[in-house]
Amino acid sequence: MKIVFATNNKHKLEEVRQITAALPIEIVSLAEISCHDDIPETADTLEGNALQKAHYIKEKFGLDCFADDTGLEVEALNNAPGVYSARYAGEAHDSEANMNKLLSEMKGKTNRNARFRTVIALLLDGKEYLFDGIVRGIITTDKRGENGFGYDPIFIPEGYAQTFAELGNDTKNKISHRAKAVEKLNGFLAQMLISK
């Protein structure tokens, strides 16, 4: 079974391949199907963006596909940046600029509660399925750690004293929002394979 993961993000691809490694499924990236399009993400929800990306690939390439969208939702900022997390500081998708903007907007705020939320939209055999994963935590006052990507250096997950960027990929891949959503996807695909 071959499924396209609608991403060119090597970190995400590696994370998903590790979690689904036990299944007889080949996860292929956009580059591997020669899709170099700038896929639109114009919905105002994570679910909407994930579905939009998955449908784009299905319609253009005719392949079963899943896509994800992730947002960092910060309580003190009315759940911003949310669906705009990747382009919070502008269209350049610049992680450093995004983190700097967020830290600046959090100056002086005592409520630092936040959560990462990932939604995965799967199009399989003509049907739509949605899976989500949430990890709660707090926003730090400064960047810490060298690993990870995105907002990882400023997010400490609940139950830990280190940021995602300090914890390292092995730990992060077990507890992250994306890991939780992918685990649900993995369980669903395993059931589908059993029932076929």
PDB file of all heavy atoms in Angstrom, residues 79-95:
ATOM      1  N   ASN A  79      -5.496  32.259  21.632  1.00  0.00           N
ATOM      2  CA  ASN A  79      -5.178  31.076  20.816  1.00  0.00           C
ATOM      3  C   ASN A  79      -4.410  31.383  19.525  1.00  0.00           C
ATOM      4  O   ASN A  79      -4.326  30.543  18.648  1.00  0.00           O
ATOM      5  CB  ASN A  79      -6.418  30.226  20.520  1.00  0.00           C
ATOM      6  CG  ASN A  79      -6.904  29.526  21.777  1.00  0.00           C
ATOM      7  OD1 ASN A  79      -6.112  29.237  22.677  1.00  0.00           O
ATOM      8  ND2 ASN A  79      -8.191  29.269  21.862  1.00  0.00           N
ATOM      9  N   ALA A  80      -3.860  32.596  19.418  1.00  0.00           N
ATOM     10  CA  ALA A  80      -2.925  32.873  18.311  1.00  0.00           C
ATOM     11  C   ALA A  80      -1.593  32.193  18.660  1.00  0.00           C
ATOM     12  O   ALA A  80      -1.349  31.918  19.828  1.00  0.00           O
ATOM     13  CB  ALA A  80      -2.739  34.375  18.157  1.00  0.00           C
ATOM     14  N   PRO A  81      -0.749  31.922  17.674  1.00  0.00           N
ATOM     15  CA  PRO A  81      -0.914  32.122  16.234  1.00  0.00           C
ATOM     16  C   PRO A  81      -1.833  31.110  15.546  1.00  0.00           C
ATOM     17  O   PRO A  81      -2.290  31.353  14.435  1.00  0.00           O
ATOM     18  CB  PRO A  81       0.505  32.030  15.692  1.00  0.00           C
ATOM     19  CG  PRO A  81       1.265  31.237  16.706  1.00  0.00           C
ATOM     20  CD  PRO A  81       0.616  31.498  18.024  1.00  0.00           C
ATOM     21  N   GLY A  82      -2.108  29.968  16.180  1.00  0.00           N
ATOM     22  CA  GLY A  82      -3.079  29.012  15.638  1.00  0.00           C
ATOM     23  C   GLY A  82      -2.792  28.598  14.207  1.00  0.00           C
ATOM     24  O   GLY A  82      -1.687  28.186  13.873  1.00  0.00           O
ATOM     25  N   VAL A  83      -3.817  28.747  13.367  1.00  0.00           N
ATOM     26  CA  VAL A  83      -3.709  28.303  11.971  1.00  0.00           C
ATOM     27  C   VAL A  83      -2.643  29.094  11.199  1.00  0.00           C
ATOM     28  O   VAL A  83      -2.159  28.659  10.163  1.00  0.00           O
ATOM     29  CB  VAL A  83      -5.096  28.386  11.275  1.00  0.00           C
ATOM     30  CG1 VAL A  83      -5.479  29.808  10.968  1.00  0.00           C
ATOM     31  CG2 VAL A  83      -5.148  27.525  10.025  1.00  0.00           C
ATOM     32  N   TYR A  84      -2.231  30.245  11.750  1.00  0.00           N
ATOM     33  CA  TYR A  84      -1.218  31.079  11.073  1.00  0.00           C
ATOM     34  C   TYR A  84       0.190  30.860  11.633  1.00  0.00           C
ATOM     35  O   TYR A  84       1.088  31.658  11.387  1.00  0.00           O
ATOM     36  CB  TYR A  84      -1.607  32.562  11.183  1.00  0.00           C
ATOM     37  CG  TYR A  84      -2.989  32.823  10.643  1.00  0.00           C
ATOM     38  CD1 TYR A  84      -4.050  33.095  11.498  1.00  0.00           C
ATOM     39  CD2 TYR A  84      -3.256  32.732   9.269  1.00  0.00           C
ATOM     40  CE1 TYR A  84      -5.347  33.279  10.999  1.00  0.00           C
ATOM     41  CE2 TYR A  84      -4.537  32.921   8.772  1.00  0.00           C
ATOM     42  CZ  TYR A  84      -5.574  33.189   9.642  1.00  0.00           C
ATOM     43  OH  TYR A  84      -6.849  33.363   9.145  1.00  0.00           O
ATOM     44  N   SER A  85       0.391  29.777  12.390  1.00  0.00           N
ATOM     45  CA  SER A  85       1.668  29.549  13.076  1.00  0.00           C
ATOM     46  C   SER A  85       2.888  29.623  12.155  1.00  0.00           C
ATOM     47  O   SER A  85       3.893  30.239  12.500  1.00  0.00           O
ATOM     48  CB  SER A  85       1.655  28.199  13.799  1.00  0.00           C
ATOM     49  OG  SER A  85       0.705  28.223  14.845  1.00  0.00           O
ATOM     50  N   ALA A  86       2.819  28.991  10.985  1.00  0.00           N
ATOM     51  CA  ALA A  86       3.988  28.939  10.088  1.00  0.00           C
ATOM     52  C   ALA A  86       4.317  30.307   9.495  1.00  0.00           C
ATOM     53  O   ALA A  86       5.471  30.584   9.165  1.00  0.00           O
ATOM     54  CB  ALA A  86       3.753  27.928   8.969  1.00  0.00           C
ATOM     55  N   ARG A  87       3.305  31.166   9.364  1.00  0.00           N
ATOM     56  CA  ARG A  87       3.558  32.483   8.746  1.00  0.00           C
ATOM     57  C   ARG A  87       3.169  33.619   9.691  1.00  0.00           C
ATOM     58  O   ARG A  87       2.726  34.677   9.279  1.00  0.00           O
ATOM     59  CB  ARG A  87       2.826  32.586   7.411  1.00  0.00           C
ATOM     60  CG  ARG A  87       1.380  32.152   7.421  1.00  0.00           C
ATOM     61  CD  ARG A  87       0.787  32.025   6.015  1.00  0.00           C
ATOM     62  NE  ARG A  87      -0.642  31.780   6.055  1.00  0.00           N
ATOM     63  CZ  ARG A  87      -1.194  30.595   6.271  1.00  0.00           C
ATOM     64  NH1 ARG A  87      -0.446  29.533   6.474  1.00  0.00           N
ATOM     65  NH2 ARG A  87      -2.507  30.449   6.284  1.00  0.00           N
ATOM     66  N   TYR A  88       3.387  33.385  10.982  1.00  0.00           N
ATOM     67  CA  TYR A  88       3.014  34.355  12.020  1.00  0.00           C
ATOM     68  C   TYR A  88       3.719  35.694  11.820  1.00  0.00           C
ATOM     69  O   TYR A  88       3.130  36.747  11.973  1.00  0.00           O
ATOM     70  CB  TYR A  88       3.352  33.761  13.389  1.00  0.00           C
ATOM     71  CG  TYR A  88       2.766  34.482  14.571  1.00  0.00           C
ATOM     72  CD1 TYR A  88       1.459  34.948  14.571  1.00  0.00           C
ATOM     73  CD2 TYR A  88       3.529  34.665  15.722  1.00  0.00           C
ATOM     74  CE1 TYR A  88       0.919  35.586  15.672  1.00  0.00           C
ATOM     75  CE2 TYR A  88       2.994  35.297  16.831  1.00  0.00           C
ATOM     76  CZ  TYR A  88       1.698  35.759  16.807  1.00  0.00           C
ATOM     77  OH  TYR A  88       1.166  36.382  17.905  1.00  0.00           O
ATOM     78  N   ALA A  89       5.011  35.633  11.437  1.00  0.00           N
ATOM     79  CA  ALA A  89       5.777  36.871  11.263  1.00  0.00           C
ATOM     80  C   ALA A  89       5.876  37.270   9.793  1.00  0.00           C
ATOM     81  O   ALA A  89       6.677  38.109   9.417  1.00  0.00           O
ATOM     82  CB  ALA A  89       7.169  36.703  11.869  1.00  0.00           C
ATOM     83  N   GLY A  90       5.056  36.632   8.946  1.00  0.00           N
ATOM     84  CA  GLY A  90       5.089  36.964   7.523  1.00  0.00           C
ATOM     85  C   GLY A  90       5.103  35.717   6.660  1.00  0.00           C
ATOM     86  O   GLY A  90       5.234  34.603   7.154  1.00  0.00           O
ATOM     87  N   GLU A  91       4.980  35.920   5.356  1.00  0.00           N
ATOM     88  CA  GLU A  91       4.846  34.801   4.413  1.00  0.00           C
ATOM     89  C   GLU A  91       6.113  33.974   4.242  1.00  0.00           C
ATOM     90  O   GLU A  91       6.099  32.941   3.607  1.00  0.00           O
ATOM     91  CB  GLU A  91       4.391  35.326   3.043  1.00  0.00           C
ATOM     92  CG  GLU A  91       2.941  35.797   3.013  1.00  0.00           C
ATOM     93  CD  GLU A  91       1.942  34.712   3.435  1.00  0.00           C
ATOM     94  OE1 GLU A  91       2.073  33.557   2.997  1.00  0.00           O
ATOM     95  OE2 GLU A  91       1.024  35.038   4.205  1.00  0.00           O
ATOM     96  N   ALA A  92       7.230  34.431   4.812  1.00  0.00           N
ATOM     97  CA  ALA A  92       8.510  33.743   4.591  1.00  0.00           C
ATOM     98  C   ALA A  92       8.627  32.407   5.336  1.00  0.00           C
ATOM     99  O   ALA A  92       9.559  31.654   5.110  1.00  0.00           O
ATOM    100  CB  ALA A  92       9.661  34.652   4.989  1.00  0.00           C
ATOM    101  N   HIS A  93       7.679  32.107   6.216  1.00  0.00           N
ATOM    102  CA  HIS A  93       7.747  30.868   7.017  1.00  0.00           C
ATOM    103  C   HIS A  93       9.076  30.799   7.779  1.00  0.00           C
ATOM    104  O   HIS A  93       9.740  29.769   7.800  1.00  0.00           O
ATOM    105  CB  HIS A  93       7.585  29.609   6.137  1.00  0.00           C
ATOM    106  CG  HIS A  93       6.214  29.474   5.561  1.00  0.00           C
ATOM    107  ND1 HIS A  93       5.434  28.361   5.752  1.00  0.00           N
ATOM    108  CD2 HIS A  93       5.464  30.294   4.812  1.00  0.00           C
ATOM    109  CE1 HIS A  93       4.270  28.510   5.132  1.00  0.00           C
ATOM    110  NE2 HIS A  93       4.277  29.690   4.558  1.00  0.00           N
ATOM    111  N   ASP A  94       9.464  31.912   8.400  1.00  0.00           N
ATOM    112  CA  ASP A  94      10.747  32.021   9.091  1.00  0.00           C
ATOM    113  C   ASP A  94      10.564  31.699  10.574  1.00  0.00           C
ATOM    114  O   ASP A  94       9.994  32.481  11.323  1.00  0.00           O
ATOM    115  CB  ASP A  94      11.275  33.461   8.896  1.00  0.00           C
ATOM    116  CG  ASP A  94      12.621  33.688   9.556  1.00  0.00           C
ATOM    117  OD1 ASP A  94      12.945  33.027  10.558  1.00  0.00           O
ATOM    118  OD2 ASP A  94      13.361  34.558   9.060  1.00  0.00           O
ATOM    119  N   SER A  95      11.071  30.542  10.996  1.00  0.00           N
ATOM    120  CA  SER A  95      10.884  30.082  12.386  1.00  0.00           C
ATOM    121  C   SER A  95      11.453  31.056  13.409  1.00  0.00           C
ATOM    122  O   SER A  95      10.840  31.316  14.441  1.00  0.00           O
ATOM    123  CB  SER A  95      11.523  28.707  12.590  1.00  0.00           C
ATOM    124  OG  SER A  95      10.838  27.746  11.839  1.00  0.00           O
TER     125      SER A  95
END
